[in-house]
PDB file of all heavy atoms in Angstrom:
ATOM      1  N   LYS M  10      -4.052  23.915   7.586  1.00  0.00           N
ATOM      2  CA  LYS M  10      -2.714  24.146   6.946  1.00  0.00           C
ATOM      3  C   LYS M  10      -2.345  22.956   6.029  1.00  0.00           C
ATOM      4  O   LYS M  10      -2.097  21.851   6.567  1.00  0.00           O
ATOM      5  CB  LYS M  10      -1.624  24.416   8.052  1.00  0.00           C
ATOM      6  CG  LYS M  10      -1.856  25.654   8.891  1.00  0.00           C
ATOM      7  CD  LYS M  10      -0.808  25.911   9.915  1.00  0.00           C
ATOM      8  CE  LYS M  10      -0.903  24.923  11.127  1.00  0.00           C
ATOM      9  NZ  LYS M  10       0.081  25.181  12.097  1.00  0.00           N
ATOM     10  N   THR M  11      -2.284  23.230   4.764  1.00  0.00           N
ATOM     11  CA  THR M  11      -1.859  22.183   3.796  1.00  0.00           C
ATOM     12  C   THR M  11      -0.499  22.393   3.235  1.00  0.00           C
ATOM     13  O   THR M  11      -0.178  23.528   2.739  1.00  0.00           O
ATOM     14  CB  THR M  11      -2.864  22.055   2.601  1.00  0.00           C
ATOM     15  OG1 THR M  11      -4.193  21.964   3.124  1.00  0.00           O
ATOM     16  CG2 THR M  11      -2.617  20.899   1.805  1.00  0.00           C
ATOM     17  N   TYR M  12       0.334  21.413   3.294  1.00  0.00           N
ATOM     18  CA  TYR M  12       1.734  21.527   2.752  1.00  0.00           C
ATOM     19  C   TYR M  12       1.928  20.572   1.629  1.00  0.00           C
ATOM     20  O   TYR M  12       1.266  19.561   1.529  1.00  0.00           O
ATOM     21  CB  TYR M  12       2.691  21.085   3.896  1.00  0.00           C
ATOM     22  CG  TYR M  12       2.740  22.107   5.058  1.00  0.00           C
ATOM     23  CD1 TYR M  12       1.751  22.098   6.018  1.00  0.00           C
ATOM     24  CD2 TYR M  12       3.811  22.992   5.165  1.00  0.00           C
ATOM     25  CE1 TYR M  12       1.789  22.965   7.043  1.00  0.00           C
ATOM     26  CE2 TYR M  12       3.903  23.836   6.270  1.00  0.00           C
ATOM     27  CZ  TYR M  12       2.884  23.852   7.261  1.00  0.00           C
ATOM     28  OH  TYR M  12       2.973  24.729   8.182  1.00  0.00           O
ATOM     29  N   TRP M  13       2.812  20.894   0.685  1.00  0.00           N
ATOM     30  CA  TRP M  13       3.322  20.097  -0.292  1.00  0.00           C
ATOM     31  C   TRP M  13       4.746  19.673   0.064  1.00  0.00           C
ATOM     32  O   TRP M  13       5.499  20.556   0.447  1.00  0.00           O
ATOM     33  CB  TRP M  13       3.217  20.621  -1.703  1.00  0.00           C
ATOM     34  CG  TRP M  13       1.868  20.576  -2.291  1.00  0.00           C
ATOM     35  CD1 TRP M  13       0.727  20.279  -1.646  1.00  0.00           C
ATOM     36  CD2 TRP M  13       1.596  20.851  -3.638  1.00  0.00           C
ATOM     37  NE1 TRP M  13      -0.397  20.365  -2.535  1.00  0.00           N
ATOM     38  CE2 TRP M  13       0.071  20.699  -3.753  1.00  0.00           C
ATOM     39  CE3 TRP M  13       2.291  21.280  -4.733  1.00  0.00           C
ATOM     40  CZ2 TRP M  13      -0.512  20.920  -4.937  1.00  0.00           C
ATOM     41  CZ3 TRP M  13       1.519  21.463  -5.992  1.00  0.00           C
ATOM     42  CH2 TRP M  13       0.194  21.227  -6.093  1.00  0.00           C
ATOM     43  N   ALA M  14       5.128  18.376  -0.017  1.00  0.00           N
ATOM     44  CA  ALA M  14       6.484  17.991   0.228  1.00  0.00           C
ATOM     45  C   ALA M  14       6.935  17.028  -0.893  1.00  0.00           C
ATOM     46  O   ALA M  14       6.237  16.129  -1.238  1.00  0.00           O
ATOM     47  CB  ALA M  14       6.535  17.294   1.606  1.00  0.00           C
ATOM     48  N   ILE M  15       8.202  17.282  -1.337  1.00  0.00           N
ATOM     49  CA  ILE M  15       8.760  16.327  -2.356  1.00  0.00           C
ATOM     50  C   ILE M  15       9.747  15.469  -1.522  1.00  0.00           C
ATOM     51  O   ILE M  15      10.644  15.920  -0.907  1.00  0.00           O
ATOM     52  CB  ILE M  15       9.534  17.112  -3.411  1.00  0.00           C
ATOM     53  CG1 ILE M  15       8.581  18.033  -4.170  1.00  0.00           C
ATOM     54  CG2 ILE M  15      10.250  16.093  -4.361  1.00  0.00           C
ATOM     55  CD1 ILE M  15       9.353  18.939  -5.172  1.00  0.00           C
ATOM     56  N   VAL M  16       9.440  14.123  -1.525  1.00  0.00           N
ATOM     57  CA  VAL M  16      10.251  13.192  -0.727  1.00  0.00           C
ATOM     58  C   VAL M  16      11.069  12.293  -1.622  1.00  0.00           C
ATOM     59  O   VAL M  16      10.773  12.061  -2.792  1.00  0.00           O
ATOM     60  CB  VAL M  16       9.305  12.329   0.194  1.00  0.00           C
ATOM     61  CG1 VAL M  16       8.544  13.258   1.223  1.00  0.00           C
ATOM     62  CG2 VAL M  16       8.333  11.500  -0.591  1.00  0.00           C
ATOM     63  N   CYS M  17      12.134  11.768  -1.068  1.00  0.00           N
ATOM     64  CA  CYS M  17      13.181  10.981  -1.853  1.00  0.00           C
ATOM     65  C   CYS M  17      12.698   9.544  -2.032  1.00  0.00           C
ATOM     66  O   CYS M  17      13.175   8.893  -2.986  1.00  0.00           O
ATOM     67  CB  CYS M  17      14.456  10.995  -1.072  1.00  0.00           C
ATOM     68  SG  CYS M  17      15.171  12.659  -0.749  1.00  0.00           S
ATOM     69  N   ASN M  18      11.871   8.911  -1.136  1.00  0.00           N
ATOM     70  CA  ASN M  18      11.562   7.518  -1.357  1.00  0.00           C
ATOM     71  C   ASN M  18      10.014   7.314  -1.410  1.00  0.00           C
ATOM     72  O   ASN M  18       9.268   8.177  -0.944  1.00  0.00           O
ATOM     73  CB  ASN M  18      12.110   6.719  -0.120  1.00  0.00           C
ATOM     74  CG  ASN M  18      13.633   6.840   0.004  1.00  0.00           C
ATOM     75  OD1 ASN M  18      14.352   6.784  -1.060  1.00  0.00           O
ATOM     76  ND2 ASN M  18      14.136   6.981   1.244  1.00  0.00           N
ATOM     77  N   GLU M  19       9.718   6.181  -1.940  1.00  0.00           N
ATOM     78  CA  GLU M  19       8.211   5.926  -2.103  1.00  0.00           C
ATOM     79  C   GLU M  19       7.574   5.641  -0.713  1.00  0.00           C
ATOM     80  O   GLU M  19       8.098   4.811   0.127  1.00  0.00           O
ATOM     81  CB  GLU M  19       8.002   4.764  -2.983  1.00  0.00           C
ATOM     82  CG  GLU M  19       6.517   4.404  -3.198  1.00  0.00           C
ATOM     83  CD  GLU M  19       6.293   3.334  -4.181  1.00  0.00           C
ATOM     84  OE1 GLU M  19       7.293   2.615  -4.623  1.00  0.00           O
ATOM     85  OE2 GLU M  19       5.129   2.992  -4.527  1.00  0.00           O
ATOM     86  N   PRO M  20       6.465   6.363  -0.349  1.00  0.00           N
ATOM     87  CA  PRO M  20       5.893   6.104   1.002  1.00  0.00           C
ATOM     88  C   PRO M  20       5.255   4.683   1.046  1.00  0.00           C
ATOM     89  O   PRO M  20       4.996   4.078  -0.001  1.00  0.00           O
ATOM     90  CB  PRO M  20       4.770   7.074   0.973  1.00  0.00           C
ATOM     91  CG  PRO M  20       5.109   8.166   0.025  1.00  0.00           C
ATOM     92  CD  PRO M  20       5.871   7.453  -1.030  1.00  0.00           C
ATOM     93  N   PRO M  21       5.286   4.126   2.194  1.00  0.00           N
ATOM     94  CA  PRO M  21       4.731   2.755   2.453  1.00  0.00           C
ATOM     95  C   PRO M  21       3.283   2.570   1.977  1.00  0.00           C
ATOM     96  O   PRO M  21       2.860   1.456   1.655  1.00  0.00           O
ATOM     97  CB  PRO M  21       4.937   2.495   3.881  1.00  0.00           C
ATOM     98  CG  PRO M  21       5.067   3.841   4.559  1.00  0.00           C
ATOM     99  CD  PRO M  21       5.670   4.701   3.519  1.00  0.00           C
ATOM    100  N   GLU M  22       2.544   3.692   1.977  1.00  0.00           N
ATOM    101  CA  GLU M  22       1.150   3.729   1.655  1.00  0.00           C
ATOM    102  C   GLU M  22       0.824   4.999   0.828  1.00  0.00           C
ATOM    103  O   GLU M  22       1.463   5.940   0.908  1.00  0.00           O
ATOM    104  CB  GLU M  22       0.200   3.633   2.916  1.00  0.00           C
ATOM    105  CG  GLU M  22       0.354   2.453   3.806  1.00  0.00           C
ATOM    106  CD  GLU M  22      -0.489   2.619   5.004  1.00  0.00           C
ATOM    107  OE1 GLU M  22      -1.740   2.255   4.900  1.00  0.00           O
ATOM    108  OE2 GLU M  22       0.012   3.040   6.011  1.00  0.00           O
ATOM    109  N   GLU M  23      -0.215   4.818  -0.020  1.00  0.00           N
ATOM    110  CA  GLU M  23      -0.556   5.877  -0.931  1.00  0.00           C
ATOM    111  C   GLU M  23      -1.031   7.131  -0.090  1.00  0.00           C
ATOM    112  O   GLU M  23      -0.915   8.256  -0.383  1.00  0.00           O
ATOM    113  CB  GLU M  23      -1.659   5.578  -1.925  1.00  0.00           C
ATOM    114  CG  GLU M  23      -1.050   4.828  -3.124  1.00  0.00           C
ATOM    115  CD  GLU M  23      -0.268   5.682  -4.079  1.00  0.00           C
ATOM    116  OE1 GLU M  23      -0.850   6.664  -4.563  1.00  0.00           O
ATOM    117  OE2 GLU M  23       0.996   5.245  -4.286  1.00  0.00           O
ATOM    118  N   GLN M  24      -1.772   6.759   1.059  1.00  0.00           N
ATOM    119  CA  GLN M  24      -2.123   7.728   1.954  1.00  0.00           C
ATOM    120  C   GLN M  24      -2.383   7.173   3.310  1.00  0.00           C
ATOM    121  O   GLN M  24      -2.702   5.995   3.443  1.00  0.00           O
ATOM    122  CB  GLN M  24      -3.554   8.432   1.530  1.00  0.00           C
ATOM    123  CG  GLN M  24      -4.736   7.528   1.411  1.00  0.00           C
ATOM    124  CD  GLN M  24      -5.955   8.268   0.912  1.00  0.00           C
ATOM    125  OE1 GLN M  24      -5.998   8.900  -0.077  1.00  0.00           O
ATOM    126  NE2 GLN M  24      -7.032   8.163   1.691  1.00  0.00           N
ATOM    127  N   ALA M  25      -2.096   7.988   4.364  1.00  0.00           N
ATOM    128  CA  ALA M  25      -2.167   7.500   5.691  1.00  0.00           C
ATOM    129  C   ALA M  25      -2.131   8.544   6.768  1.00  0.00           C
ATOM    130  O   ALA M  25      -1.869   9.791   6.428  1.00  0.00           O
ATOM    131  CB  ALA M  25      -0.955   6.600   6.019  1.00  0.00           C
ATOM    132  N   THR M  26      -2.515   8.187   8.007  1.00  0.00           N
ATOM    133  CA  THR M  26      -2.472   9.191   9.017  1.00  0.00           C
ATOM    134  C   THR M  26      -1.200   8.684   9.950  1.00  0.00           C
ATOM    135  O   THR M  26      -1.061   7.587  10.305  1.00  0.00           O
ATOM    136  CB  THR M  26      -3.722   9.104   9.965  1.00  0.00           C
ATOM    137  OG1 THR M  26      -4.766   9.576   9.193  1.00  0.00           O
ATOM    138  CG2 THR M  26      -3.522   9.965  11.229  1.00  0.00           C
ATOM    139  N   LEU M  27      -0.378   9.690  10.232  1.00  0.00           N
ATOM    140  CA  LEU M  27       0.893   9.361  11.038  1.00  0.00           C
ATOM    141  C   LEU M  27       0.681   9.883  12.363  1.00  0.00           C
ATOM    142  O   LEU M  27       0.343  11.091  12.515  1.00  0.00           O
ATOM    143  CB  LEU M  27       2.084   9.952  10.299  1.00  0.00           C
ATOM    144  CG  LEU M  27       2.479   9.568   8.937  1.00  0.00           C
ATOM    145  CD1 LEU M  27       3.772  10.146   8.494  1.00  0.00           C
ATOM    146  CD2 LEU M  27       2.533   8.005   8.804  1.00  0.00           C
ATOM    147  N   THR M  28       0.943   9.079  13.385  1.00  0.00           N
ATOM    148  CA  THR M  28       0.826   9.604  14.736  1.00  0.00           C
ATOM    149  C   THR M  28       2.182   9.079  15.443  1.00  0.00           C
ATOM    150  O   THR M  28       2.476   7.900  15.503  1.00  0.00           O
ATOM    151  CB  THR M  28      -0.376   8.890  15.479  1.00  0.00           C
ATOM    152  OG1 THR M  28      -1.524   9.199  14.785  1.00  0.00           O
ATOM    153  CG2 THR M  28      -0.394   9.291  16.955  1.00  0.00           C
ATOM    154  N   HIS M  29       2.862  10.078  15.946  1.00  0.00           N
ATOM    155  CA  HIS M  29       4.081   9.785  16.649  1.00  0.00           C
ATOM    156  C   HIS M  29       4.166  10.725  17.878  1.00  0.00           C
ATOM    157  O   HIS M  29       3.345  11.634  18.024  1.00  0.00           O
ATOM    158  CB  HIS M  29       5.326  10.133  15.828  1.00  0.00           C
ATOM    159  CG  HIS M  29       5.426   9.232  14.597  1.00  0.00           C
ATOM    160  ND1 HIS M  29       5.115   9.697  13.303  1.00  0.00           N
ATOM    161  CD2 HIS M  29       5.884   8.090  14.484  1.00  0.00           C
ATOM    162  CE1 HIS M  29       5.294   8.697  12.469  1.00  0.00           C
ATOM    163  NE2 HIS M  29       5.901   7.611  13.128  1.00  0.00           N
ATOM    164  N   TRP M  30       5.108  10.403  18.667  1.00  0.00           N
ATOM    165  CA  TRP M  30       5.404  11.284  19.845  1.00  0.00           C
ATOM    166  C   TRP M  30       6.817  11.946  19.674  1.00  0.00           C
ATOM    167  O   TRP M  30       7.808  11.150  19.444  1.00  0.00           O
ATOM    168  CB  TRP M  30       5.384  10.572  21.214  1.00  0.00           C
ATOM    169  CG  TRP M  30       3.896  10.336  21.594  1.00  0.00           C
ATOM    170  CD1 TRP M  30       3.223  11.098  22.523  1.00  0.00           C
ATOM    171  CD2 TRP M  30       2.983   9.358  21.142  1.00  0.00           C
ATOM    172  NE1 TRP M  30       1.934  10.592  22.681  1.00  0.00           N
ATOM    173  CE2 TRP M  30       1.788   9.569  21.826  1.00  0.00           C
ATOM    174  CE3 TRP M  30       3.043   8.305  20.231  1.00  0.00           C
ATOM    175  CZ2 TRP M  30       0.674   8.815  21.618  1.00  0.00           C
ATOM    176  CZ3 TRP M  30       1.950   7.546  19.953  1.00  0.00           C
ATOM    177  CH2 TRP M  30       0.769   7.797  20.627  1.00  0.00           C
ATOM    178  N   LEU M  31       6.888  13.168  19.654  1.00  0.00           N
ATOM    179  CA  LEU M  31       8.187  13.886  19.190  1.00  0.00           C
ATOM    180  C   LEU M  31       8.804  14.435  20.472  1.00  0.00           C
ATOM    181  O   LEU M  31       8.210  15.045  21.356  1.00  0.00           O
ATOM    182  CB  LEU M  31       7.940  15.057  18.189  1.00  0.00           C
ATOM    183  CG  LEU M  31       7.139  14.649  16.994  1.00  0.00           C
ATOM    184  CD1 LEU M  31       7.233  15.856  16.053  1.00  0.00           C
ATOM    185  CD2 LEU M  31       7.676  13.450  16.334  1.00  0.00           C
ATOM    186  N   THR M  32      10.163  14.340  20.474  1.00  0.00           N
ATOM    187  CA  THR M  32      11.011  15.036  21.450  1.00  0.00           C
ATOM    188  C   THR M  32      11.949  15.947  20.659  1.00  0.00           C
ATOM    189  O   THR M  32      12.139  15.789  19.478  1.00  0.00           O
ATOM    190  CB  THR M  32      11.884  14.057  22.284  1.00  0.00           C
ATOM    191  OG1 THR M  32      12.704  13.279  21.394  1.00  0.00           O
ATOM    192  CG2 THR M  32      10.985  13.067  23.029  1.00  0.00           C
ATOM    193  N   ARG M  33      12.440  16.958  21.426  1.00  0.00           N
ATOM    194  CA  ARG M  33      13.325  17.940  20.722  1.00  0.00           C
ATOM    195  C   ARG M  33      14.681  17.939  21.373  1.00  0.00           C
ATOM    196  O   ARG M  33      14.708  18.019  22.701  1.00  0.00           O
ATOM    197  CB  ARG M  33      12.645  19.287  20.757  1.00  0.00           C
ATOM    198  CG  ARG M  33      13.399  20.382  20.069  1.00  0.00           C
ATOM    199  CD  ARG M  33      12.559  21.693  20.096  1.00  0.00           C
ATOM    200  NE  ARG M  33      13.379  22.872  19.533  1.00  0.00           N
ATOM    201  CZ  ARG M  33      12.842  24.021  19.420  1.00  0.00           C
ATOM    202  NH1 ARG M  33      11.671  24.384  19.765  1.00  0.00           N
ATOM    203  NH2 ARG M  33      13.585  25.001  18.807  1.00  0.00           N
TER     204      ARG M  33
END
């Protein structure tokens, strides 16, 4: 599943893997 997202600020890296633990 590939998404496109328009974001408001410049990302800290040109490309990266993000790993987090999410709660709801």
Side-chain angles (χ1 to χ4, degrees):
K10 294 183 284 184
T11 305
Y12 292 76
W13 280 12
I15 299 174
V16 299
C17 300
N18 300 319
E19 183 176 8
E22 300 176 80
E23 283 289 304
Q24 63 182 55
T26 297
L27 302 183
T28 302
H29 295 102
W30 281 261
L31 305 189
T32 60
R33 181 175 178 178

